[in-house]
Amino acid sequence: MTDQAPQDDAAEPTPTAEQQLATETNEQRDVRLAKRERLVAEGEAYPVSVPVTTTIQSVRAAHADLQPGEETDDVVGVAGRVVHLRNTGRLCFVMLQAGDGTQLQAMLSQKEVGAESLQRFKELVDLGDQLFVHGRVIASRRGELSVFADDWRIAAKAIRPLPNMHSPLSEEFRVRNRALDLIQRQGARDMVLTRARTNASLRRTFAEHGFVEIETPMLQTVHGGASARPFVTRSNAFDRDLYLRIAPELFLKRALVGGIDRVFEINRNFRNEGADSTHSPEFAMLEAYEAYGDYHTIADLTRELIQNAVRATSPTGDLTAVWADGTVHDFSGDWDRIDLYGSLNEALAATWDGPGRAPVITVETSVAELAPLAERHGIALDPATATHGKYVEELWEACVKPGLTRPTFVMDFPEDTSPLTRPHRSRLGLVEKWDLYVRGFELATGYSELADPVIQRQRFVEQSLLAAKGDPEAMQVDEDFLTTMEYGMPPAGGMGMGIDRLLMALTGLGIRETVLFPLVR
RNA sequence: GCGCCUCUAGCUCAAUUGGCAGAGCAGCUGACUCUUAAUCAGCGGGUUGUGGGUUCAAGUCCCACGGGGCGCACCA
């Protein structure tokens, strides 16, 4: 931006702040910069403070029923952002907006503030400025609650024009200029509160059940706990590469070994994979582990966590979420727990159009038998890394998932796709794992955790063989974790849930809407 | 990573078959003491994402690059 011209003189001084400003300018900004200069020369364009006595919200609350034309003796000093400005000659109307979107009008009459002050106001105040006004609270003849100003001050001069407040901003502009989006759009402000209320609700529910929140490493020497490609970074002090974590699981389990029996973490994970409407390279993740629980108890807890979050964020305060598109989603009651293989075989039988009866898929069904079946549903996997489990899960997603409307736990998964999960207590070849599906996407997953360090080591070795075959998402062998496991981890249920996903389920918005400042190129 | 679509004033968007780049809001000057996207009169504001090409003539057609979106693939 500053080096578009060829540098024929290497000793040329770097541009001053003013020159840099000048390279990126427009008429409207020039006008405001001149006003800033004048304010600075005459006093302050950015005072350290202004003498506010109350807030826009409080004034509105205190005088909610003021009748048109009615006046009060309540003298206030309030400040807010100028979002509308109207000038009818010797009377000016200015709409001030608080951070939460609450607006309050101020009226500047020549009779009240004097000709000189009004003239100065007209010359110096623009849309977008932070403005302080002092005066009595009245209602205008048309009934608009107002501060009838006897004094005013610029609280902070804006030098960039505000976007047009009357037409919606484009998606791209909103994502790249979130501050302006927050000024202009109630939905943007609501999202911030929804996320905060959701996080508070989750922590409250955990606290009620005696869970302890801990923070585990973001920078890891071995990446594990999930199947995903990590980001790699560099430690100068250790002179080695480090991974940004893809999951906190292996550290939370160390805490479990250490006796933190009910433990959870809400924090960021990083995965070096594609970004789309449901995936972001960095995303907030919740993981929780409950000693002496299993995948049933952790499913109960997960349902309670989500139902409490729905209650905390629902406009109606009940167990329904109203999505941005107007659809209403019911999270109440108990949620179905269906069997992965059973529901898949049901769906296959119902849609079977081949000869004879539909094949019944079991844990024993080979990759050779699954491949042609998957092909019928348009699924093609890389033969080098395809396994029984990958085929079964792909088939399930193609055949069963689209039909789910209510929140549903899908239970009991094949072993080879869940290397950190305990073998099923009664079903050979399966693990005690569930996925929770809400409206077509996977919201959370839960397990009876694998506590046997010998089997855990075998699973890691199998993963590393996959990695050797070229699977970039396979886990590394984490010797330190295995050593800790060998001291004995209590039987436990564990769960993981994407916070952004939860917000999507609560609001029906895309991930770029739920993240305040999403990564953009 | 592959395919398709898209980029025009501060913001939101027009521009017919390739034929003078426009509107609303915002801005500037002026008028107006009750406006609600105030109104009225007048005036500015553009390297049409960037670079190349075709053409008498390119916002429009072609190529490359960059930004964005959607679909596919991968994943939560």
Side-chain angles (χ1 to χ4, degrees), chain A residues 155-413:
Chain A
K157 181 68 197 167
I159 61 173
R160 265 182 208 273
L162 221 49
N164 181 358
M165 294 290 277
H166 311 300
S167 57
L169 296 169
S170 64
E171 220 276 327
E172 183 186 352
F173 188 92
R174 281 168 25 205
V175 165
R176 290 177 181 273
N177 301 274
R178 191 65 88 189
L180 298 178
D181 190 27
L182 289 167
I183 291 169
Q184 201 208 44
R185 194 169 57 93
Q186 188 61 42
R189 296 187 283 264
D190 290 343
M191 191 65 237
V192 175
L193 292 181
T194 299
R195 181 180 276 271
R197 286 183 185 134
T198 299
N199 281 331
S201 168
L202 293 171
R203 290 191 161 100
R204 203 180 314 122
T205 306
F206 275 123
E208 285 164 6
H209 288 271
F211 278 73
V212 173
E213 180 172 14
I214 67 170
E215 290 178 47
T216 66
M218 298 281 204
L219 292 172
Q220 302 182 344
T221 55
V222 180
H223 76 273
S227 297
R229 301 187 198 199
F231 285 96
V232 181
T233 187
R234 183 82 194 159
S235 163
N236 292 333
F238 292 1
D239 191 28
R240 63 169 297 172
D241 284 344
L242 294 176
Y243 300 102
L244 270 63
R245 76 176 194 192
I246 56 174
E249 173 160 351
L250 302 186
F251 285 96
L252 291 170
K253 284 184 172 172
R254 285 170 170 89
L256 214 50
V257 172
I260 307 175
D261 281 348
R262 294 183 171 208
V263 66
F264 77 101
E265 178 168 11
I266 296 176
N267 226 319
R268 224 72 68 80
N269 288 347
F270 306 87
R271 298 189 183 176
N272 205 345
E273 289 160 351
D276 60 29
S277 63
T278 58
H279 297 86
S280 174
E282 58 175 304
F283 60 101
M285 184 77 187
L286 160 66
E287 283 197 18
Y289 296 87
E290 180 189 28
Y292 312 111
D294 63 10
Y295 75 148
H296 290 296
T297 66
I298 210 78
D300 292 338
L301 175 67
T302 301
R303 180 168 59 87
E304 190 178 335
L305 284 164
I306 295 170
Q307 287 181 329
N308 285 346
V310 172
R311 234 180 247 113
T313 57
S314 167
T316 47
D318 61 11
L319 281 171
T320 56
V322 180
W323 278 16
D325 63 5
T327 56
V328 176
H329 299 269
D330 181 13
F331 287 82
S332 68
D334 206 352
W335 298 345
D336 284 345
R337 300 184 186 190
I338 66 174
D339 181 64
L340 176 76
Y341 284 85
S343 58
L344 174 57
N345 283 323
E346 256 177 58
L348 285 176
T351 60
W352 180 252
D353 56 1
R357 298 174 59 177
V360 173
I361 297 173
T362 70
V363 184
E364 308 290 324
T365 309
S366 68
V367 169
E369 293 169 90
L370 287 166
L373 204 53
E375 207 169 320
R376 293 172 71 97
H377 290 88
I379 299 160
L381 297 180
D382 177 3
T385 55
T387 61
H388 167 88
K390 284 192 181 179
Y391 273 116
V392 170
E393 289 184 29
E394 288 283 339
L395 275 166
W396 185 89
E397 284 193 24
C399 301
V400 185
K401 186 172 94 170
L404 298 180
T405 50
R406 275 195 39 97
T408 304
F409 290 102
V410 186
M411 315 289 288
D412 298 334
F413 280 66

Side-chain angles (χ1 to χ4, degrees), chain A residues 80-101:
Chain A
R81 186 180 298 277
V82 176
V83 291
H84 294 294
L85 202 50
R86 301 176 197 100
N87 168 11
T88 67
R90 281 173 278 270
L91 179 65
C92 288
F93 300 90
V94 53
M95 191 62 87
L96 300 181
Q97 181 173 293
D100 68 353

Side-chain angles (χ1 to χ4, degrees), chain A residues 53-60 63 66 70-72 74-80 91-96 103-109 112-113 121 131-140 144-152:
Chain A
T53 64
T54 181
T55 62
I56 285 171
Q57 295 89 334
S58 309
V59 172
R60 278 227 163 270
H63 300 284
L66 213 56
E70 198 177 338
E71 305 196 354
T72 75
D74 188 9
V75 176
V76 298
V78 295
L91 179 65
C92 288
F93 300 90
V94 53
M95 191 62 87
L96 300 181
Q103 299 187 345
L104 180 64
Q105 178 170 273
M107 295 165 65
L108 288 98
S109 160
E112 188 77 6
V113 297
F121 178 88
L131 183 72
F132 166 81
V133 295
H134 180 273
R136 284 179 299 128
V137 177
I138 66 163
S140 74
E144 184 73 43
L145 189 65
S146 308
V147 174
F148 195 61
D150 55 44
D151 196 13
W152 64 272

